[in-house]
Amino acid sequence: MYRLNLPPYEIKIAEKQGKRSIFDILRRKYVALTPEEWVRQHFVHFLTEHKGYPSGLLANEVQLQVGDKQLRCDTLLYNKDLRPRMIIEYKAPTIPLSQKVFDQITIYNFLLHVDYLIVSNGLQHICCKMDYLNQKYLFLEEIPDYKNL
C-alpha cells in the first residue's frame, strides 16, 4: 500500500481467500482493503490518536437518502447530541483533490449542514469551516484538534 502523509499506527490486516482486509476500529470489523480504505483507516487513527477526536462520536460509511438516491458519507463526526458536525471524504492517494471531489462533499452537506468539511487522499488534506452567515468556506491551515472545534 501507499506511504501516506499521516502518522503510522499498528495496522491489523487479514487475508481470507486471497483477499486482504483491514480492521476498522469504528465498525469493529475487517473490511476490504482498498486504497481509499487505507486512507480512511489512517485518517481515523490520526483523528482519534493525535487530534483527540472521540471514536464514539465518529462513524464510517453513513448512508444518506436523497429522494430515491442513496449516498454514503465516508466518515461523520457527531456532536454530543448526535447531530452531524463534520463530514470527511476520502479518495485513494492516486486521486488528486479537485473541485469535483470537493463538490461531492458539498452535496452531502446540503443534507447535513455541518460545521466542518474535510477531504483527504492521504497525501493532501483540505479542511474548511463553514461560514453560513456569509455563505463561504473558511479554509484552515490544518485539521483542528477536537477540543478546538
Side-chain angles (χ1 to χ4, degrees), residues 20-73:
R20 294 174 53 171
S21 57
I22 188 167
F23 189 74
D24 182 331
I25 62 165
L26 301 183
R27 291 179 274 183
R28 295 182 182 101
K29 66 179 184 176
Y30 282 90
V31 295
L33 178 54
T34 63
E36 184 178 305
E37 194 63 48
W38 181 253
V39 172
R40 181 197 331 261
Q41 295 309 316
H42 277 78
F43 204 89
V44 166
H45 278 83
F46 166 66
L47 292 177
T48 58
E49 301 299 320
H50 298 273
K51 293 292 185 175
Y53 287 58
S55 61
L57 296 179
L58 289 164
N60 284 338
E61 294 287 318
V62 177
Q63 277 199 324
L64 304 174
Q65 184 89 25
V66 182
D68 293 344
K69 192 172 184 178
Q70 298 257 341
L71 303 174
R72 193 173 308 212
C73 285

Side-chain angles (χ1 to χ4, degrees), residues 2-8 38-39 42-43 46 50-51 93 97 120-126 141 143:
Y2 300 90
R3 172 170 269 140
L4 303 178
N5 183 19
L6 291 163
W38 181 253
V39 172
H42 277 78
F43 204 89
F46 166 66
H50 298 273
K51 293 292 185 175
L97 299 183
S120 176
N121 63 5
L123 304 173
Q124 181 185 12
H125 323 294
I126 299 172
E141 293 291 318
I143 309 298

Side-chain angles (χ1 to χ4, degrees), residues 68-94:
D68 293 344
K69 192 172 184 178
Q70 298 257 341
L71 303 174
R72 193 173 308 212
C73 285
D74 287 339
T75 301
L76 280 181
L77 170 70
Y78 295 92
N79 66 15
K80 291 181 178 163
D81 297 324
L82 299 181
R83 180 189 161 283
R85 183 97 198 270
M86 177 185 287
I87 303 169
I88 308 165
E89 179 67 25
Y90 309 105
K91 295 297 176 193
T94 56

